[in-house]
Amino acid sequence: MNALAATSRNFKQAAKLLGLDSKLEKSLLIPFREIKVECTIPKDDGTMASFVGFRVQHDNARGPMKGGIRYHHEVDPDEVNALAQLMTWKTAVANIPYGGAKGGIGCSPGELSISELERLTREFTQKLHDCIGIHTDVPAPDMGTNSQTMAWILDEYSKFHGYSPAVVTGKPVDLGGSLGRDAATGKGVLFAAQALLAEYGKSISDQRFVIQGFGNVGSWAAQLISEAGGKVIAVSDVTGAVKNSNGLDILKLLKHSKESHGVKGFGGGDALDPNLLLMEDCDVLIPAALGGVINRGNANDIRAKFIIEAANHPTDPEADEILSKKGVLILPDIFANSGGVTVSYFEWVQNIQGFMWDEEKVNCELKTYMTRGFKHVKEMCRTHNCDLRMGAFTLGVNRVARATVLRGWGA
C-alpha cells in the first residue's frame, strides 16, 4: 500500500473514532495548497537543464506549515502529499504550533556539482519565496538535502525579505542553527523508547536492539542506546548488515562506516543478509530507513516484542493487523520520530527571539516534550480503547480538528 493510501486510511480510522463531522473530515484531508514550479539552470558545461520542483502545504490551522525539502530523482507527488499530511498530524502529536508541508525537486543530487546544486536551490527559492516564510511555511532538510541547502535558501530568501534566519530550520550553527539538531531525531527515538519500556517495567539496559538503517537517525539511535546500556545486536544499511549476539561496538562501527562508506566488512561482527535483519530475534526492532519495509510478506516472521518506527511509514496497515494479533507493540512514526521536528521548532523559537540555547537546554526540553507526548498518546489509547498508532492519530487529528473549528470553520 502506498504512503498516501496508508496515511489516509489511518486518518479515516481516527476520524471515525473521534466521531468527526464528515464535511470537516473531508476538509482536513484536502491540502491547503500545492505548488509546482519549473527550475531551469545553466550547468557547469554551459548547457541548460530543467527540473520540476514542488511544495505541498497541507494545513495551517495550528500555525505555520513545516516540513522537509527532498532532492531525489523519484520525487513522487503522491508520497510528498502523504508526508505533508503526516507532518500535520506529527506536529500536533508533538504539540508544537505548526501545520504540515513537504516539498522537493526531481533531481539526482549525486550527479550535480556543488555549484549546480546551489544554482538549483536558489532558482527554486526564487520561485517559492512568496509562498514560504517565518509565519507561513518553514522548510527543513530531508533526503538529499542538508544544512548547506538550508543556508542557500536562507540567503536567497533574505534577498527578497531581509535577513530571516527563522525561514528554515536545520541550518548550520554559524547561521543560527540549533545545537543538538543533528542528533535530535535519534535522541527523540531514545526518549520514546525509554517512555515505552518504562510502561512495561523495562529499561534500555536490559533489552536487545536491532536497527535497520545506519544513516543520521539510525546511527545516532544506535550510539545513544549503546551509551544508555542497551545491547545493539544487529545493524544494516544499503551496503549490507552485521550482527553480534553479544552486542556490536557502536563507536568502532561508526568509525568503520565513515571510512568504508557503510557497515559492510565490519570486523566486530558477522555478515548477515540485510533481507533477514527484520526477522532477527530481538526485544526491540527499530526501522530507521525506508517506508513500507514491514509488510504482510514478512510481518509473521518478525520476532521483536516492540517496534519503534524511526523511519516514516515503515509499517503497512496490513502488517499492523498481523503484528497486533501477535502481541507486538508498535510505537508509531508520527510520535517516535518527532524529535527532529521538535528541535526544529526550538531552532525557530531561538531565531525569532534572537537568543540561542546551550545543548543541555535543547536536550532537556526535548526529553520533556517526548515524555509528555507519550503520556498524551497513552491517554487517547485508554479513551478510545485503541492501539498506540490510533492513540497517536486520534491525538493529532483531534488537536487539528479543534483548532480548525475554533478558528471559525464553516462560518
Side-chain angles (χ1 to χ4, degrees), residues 47-84:
T47 61
M48 302 300 283
S50 290
F51 304 90
V52 176
F54 52 88
R55 185 83 175 156
V56 175
Q57 298 174 329
H58 181 258
D59 190 276
N60 62 357
R62 299 181 71 257
M65 292 164 286
K66 182 94 191 79
I69 288 179
R70 53 178 53 183
Y71 287 3
H72 193 264
H73 63 281
E74 286 178 350
V75 165
D76 170 46
D78 260 8
E79 189 188 22
V80 173
N81 224 311
L83 293 172

Side-chain angles (χ1 to χ4, degrees), residues 11 22-31 58-59 404 409:
F11 165 78
S22 61
K23 293 188 191 71
L24 176 60
E25 181 186 330
K26 190 179 177 187
S27 167
L28 289 178
L29 214 47
I30 298 168
H58 181 258
D59 190 276
T404 305
W409 180 83

Side-chain angles (χ1 to χ4, degrees), residues 294-299 315-324 330:
I294 300 172
N295 47 52
R296 67 176 176 199
N298 60 15
T315 314
D316 270 355
E318 292 155 329
D320 252 350
E321 287 167 21
I322 295 166
L323 291 163
S324 72
I330 303 173

Side-chain angles (χ1 to χ4, degrees), residues 219-231:
S219 61
W220 272 112
Q223 189 179 333
L224 295 162
I225 284 164
S226 178
E227 284 170 9
K231 198 185 275 186

Side-chain angles (χ1 to χ4, degrees), residues 308-384:
I308 295 172
E309 296 185 334
N312 283 323
H313 174 62
T315 314
D316 270 355
E318 292 155 329
D320 252 350
E321 287 167 21
I322 295 166
L323 291 163
S324 72
K325 279 178 191 151
K326 285 175 69 175
V328 179
L329 283 157
I330 303 173
L331 198 57
D333 52 354
I334 63 167
F335 167 69
N337 70 18
S338 62
V341 72
T342 303
V343 174
S344 273
Y345 163 60
F346 298 162
E347 181 179 329
W348 181 74
V349 167
Q350 291 168 74
N351 293 157
I352 287 172
Q353 290 182 331
F355 180 78
M356 304 310 284
W357 304 353
D358 60 30
E359 196 162 349
E360 193 182 345
K361 179 174 169 66
V362 173
N363 292 334
C364 181
E365 289 288 340
L366 176 60
K367 184 165 190 176
T368 302
Y369 270 76
M370 294 301 294
T371 311
R372 190 170 56 208
F374 182 75
K375 189 168 141 271
H376 291 157
V377 169
K378 285 296 291 184
E379 282 167 9
M380 290 304 264
C381 290
R382 282 190 283 273
T383 304
H384 297 288

